[in-house]
Amino acid sequence: MNPLLSRLQPYPFERLRQLFSGITPDPAHRPISLGIGEPRHPTPPFIIDALCDAARNGALASYPATVGEPRLREAFAGWLARRYGLKIDPQTQTLPVSGSREALFAFAQTVLQPRPGASAPPLVVSPNPFYQIYEGAALLGSADVHYVPSDPKRNFAVDWDAVSDATWARTQLLFVCSPGNPTGAVMPLEEWRRLFELSDRHGFVIASDECYSEIYFRDEPPLGGLQAAAQLGRGDFRRLVSFTSLSKRSNVPGMRSGFVAGDAALLKAFLLYRTYHGSAMSPAVQAASIAAWGDEAHVAENRRLYREKFSRVTPMLAEVLDVQLPDAGFYLWAGVGGSDTEFARDLYAQYNVTVLPGSYIARERDGTNPGAGRVRMALVAESDECVEAARRIVQFVRERR
Ligand SMILES: Cc1ncc(COP(=O)(O)O)c(C=O)c1O
């Protein structure tokens, strides 16, 4: 067996299952889960129709190419042009992926290089808290992870200045997540400028995870990594690849569809890796994806639903918890003023509401876990259900005081 497998951490939901094991929630309350970040708004019918039409018209009768149909990559480039004002070559600067999760993982395997004879393994730098795939991808790529905490006092911006030059010098890959999971923070242009400078100086690659980019609460849509690069005169996107997904934008988490775009040399290597990895997108999914990327009306409606939901729930919770409307995403990242695991466990037992302890999606470093004392609440259920969960949480917190 591959010994690196033993370095993988239990997934947060596995830990949650253990935390809740043996508890029977009060049967007076029906279960409500704010635990998993799985979109639950209905899938738009035109996407389902495109999928089924393609399947009925022979799409399943041949092997797909890993690069995808030219029309698919043109749909990616068209969307990047409309959303970010970017000029992208669909042939060399985009690739389809089966959701951003597998792509983030596979990309690390493409980028990371062993350092034979070196005294220490290569490093992957990750925000903390973070999406757990970054860590698993690094560990299975024989790298170590350097976690960089986000700072609650600066809207949860990641404290890149806390990373030493010696650490950057060993870094081969940096994961950034904007809008962030779980904090919802969007990286401004100045932060991108700083990261590009560091990448130029030390040669590391930046993987920019942007799967929440279309769910936002400010007037201005979130700045994308490629957009920041273009604004800073880096139109070749050197050492930068962005990861985008339909899962949250179009409510199709089960379709497994996204794309990567950026540095053509990196994508050429990534295509080679993917050809062997065997991760080509089904032609039926390609057809449905072309339809989805070409339509913005359903995305605007989806955003409207999240905005309405967050505007109802956030003020209720802000009365009892340290929480505010995020820049973007569909999570509330709330300070509970005590143990996050006890909070989650007791809330489940007494009110049958599931939230994720923040310490499960962050790692302790130098004696501090930046997720401790916080919980992540995914407002993915429909609005009234989220409001009912908030009502129970308010009651729960008031009773605990
Ligand atoms: C930060 C982040 N990145 C990537 C993903 C993967 O999403 P998908 O594979 O559906 O594109 C998720 C899913 O929850 C996520 O939270």
Side-chain angles (χ1 to χ4, degrees):
M1 291 285 273
N2 182 344
L4 295 173
L5 285 167
S6 65
R7 299 182 73 197
L8 295 176
Q9 300 288 317
Y11 217 63
F13 299 105
E14 184 51 44
R15 297 177 70 185
L16 194 61
R17 254 191 302 280
Q18 280 170 23
L19 181 72
F20 289 174
S21 78
I23 299 175
T24 307
D26 183 342
H29 303 291
R30 68 187 163 78
I32 302 182
S33 178
L34 310 180
I36 295 194
E38 177 181 58
R40 285 204 249 141
H41 298 169
T43 299
F46 78 92
I47 300 179
I48 301 172
D49 290 346
L51 186 77
C52 296
D53 287 352
R56 281 201 199 88
N57 287 303
L60 305 182
S62 56
Y63 279 118
T66 306
V67 283
E69 296 290 326
R71 270 188 350 113
L72 177 66
R73 280 176 293 144
E74 277 154 25
F76 302 154
W79 182 77
L80 290 169
R82 291 189 298 279
R83 171 67 170 81
Y84 297 115
L86 293 170
K87 262 189 81 171
I88 293 276
D89 176 5
Q91 302 289 335
T92 59
Q93 292 179 313
T94 71
L95 274 183
V97 298
S98 301
S100 45
R101 177 180 178 141
E102 68 88 1
L104 289 159
F105 181 85
F107 187 66
Q109 314 316 309
T110 307
V111 167
L112 292 172
Q113 308 166 33
R115 303 166 81 222
S119 57
L123 279 180
V124 170
V125 170
S126 164
N128 194 20
F130 60 97
Y131 179 51
Q132 189 145 333
I133 297 301
Y134 309 156
E135 179 186 67
L139 296 176
L140 289 184
S142 300
D144 281 351
V145 188
H146 184 87
Y147 302 94
V148 193
S150 68
D151 181 357
K153 290 194 215 71
R154 292 189 299 121
N155 186 33
F156 302 105
V158 179
D159 191 7
W160 307 116
D161 288 341
V163 181
S164 70
D165 264 5
T167 297
W168 287 125
R170 259 176 70 203
T171 300
Q172 292 185 352
L173 178 63
L174 164 67
F175 283 109
V176 298
C177 187
S178 176
N181 170 4
T183 66
V186 170
M187 281 170 49
L189 190 65
E190 283 315 302
E191 195 170 335
W192 280 109
R193 189 197 302 275
R194 173 95 181 101
L195 293 180
F196 292 146
E197 277 166 15
L198 287 162
S199 164
D200 284 349
R201 187 156 2 123
H202 299 286
F204 59 78
V205 169
I206 303 178
S208 176
D209 180 357
E210 305 181 12
C211 65
Y212 294 96
S213 65
E214 304 316 290
I215 304 168
Y216 52 88
F217 304 102
R218 318 272 176 229
D219 293 339
E220 186 90 340
L223 179 70
L226 301 181
Q227 187 185 19
Q231 286 179 13
L232 295 169
R234 305 168 67 92
D236 59 353
F237 311 119
R238 53 192 174 277
R239 276 177 260 102
L240 173 66
V241 171
S242 78
F243 295 71
T244 311
S245 168
L246 285 176
S247 300
K248 281 95 175 157
R249 172 187 180 271
S250 299
N251 295 309
V252 286
M255 197 161 83
R256 314 310 303 130
S257 177
F259 72 89
V260 293
D263 183 325
L266 286 172
L267 292 193
K268 191 169 174 215
F270 195 31
L271 173 60
L272 176 64
Y273 177 91
R274 297 182 68 70
T275 306
Y276 281 85
H277 190 64
S279 45
M281 183 185 285
S282 156
V285 172
Q286 293 193 42
S289 304
I290 291 168
W293 288 114
D295 181 81
E296 284 303 318
H298 76 285
V299 184
E301 173 58 12
N302 190 36
R303 191 158 51 239
R304 189 190 66 74
L305 291 175
Y306 280 112
R307 287 181 166 189
E308 190 250 355
K309 195 162 27 181
F310 273 72
S311 73
R312 292 175 73 193
V313 170
T314 316
M316 289 174 72
L317 292 177
E319 290 201 7
V320 294
L321 299 174
D322 172 18
V323 67
Q324 61 189 23
L325 187 69
D327 294 337
F330 53 47
Y331 301 108
L332 288 175
W333 181 234
V336 298
S339 158
D340 50 311
T341 46
E342 281 171 24
F343 183 97
R345 192 195 56 209
D346 296 351
L347 175 66
Y348 177 66
Q350 293 167 32
Y351 284 98
N352 213 346
V353 173
T354 301
V355 297
L356 190 65
S359 56
Y360 289 3
I361 48 173
R363 294 283 174 260
E364 182 175 325
R365 282 296 174 273
D366 305 324
T368 305
N369 181 324
R374 292 191 173 270
V375 296
R376 191 190 77 176
M377 295 178 264
L379 300 194
V380 288
E382 59 96 16
S383 192
D384 287 346
E385 178 144 303
C386 290
V387 169
E388 167 60 16
R391 195 191 57 72
R392 292 188 209 169
I393 293 170
V394 169
Q395 200 170 338
F396 166 75
V397 175
R398 293 213 162 113
E399 284 163 4
R400 267 164 96 80
R401 279 181 180 153

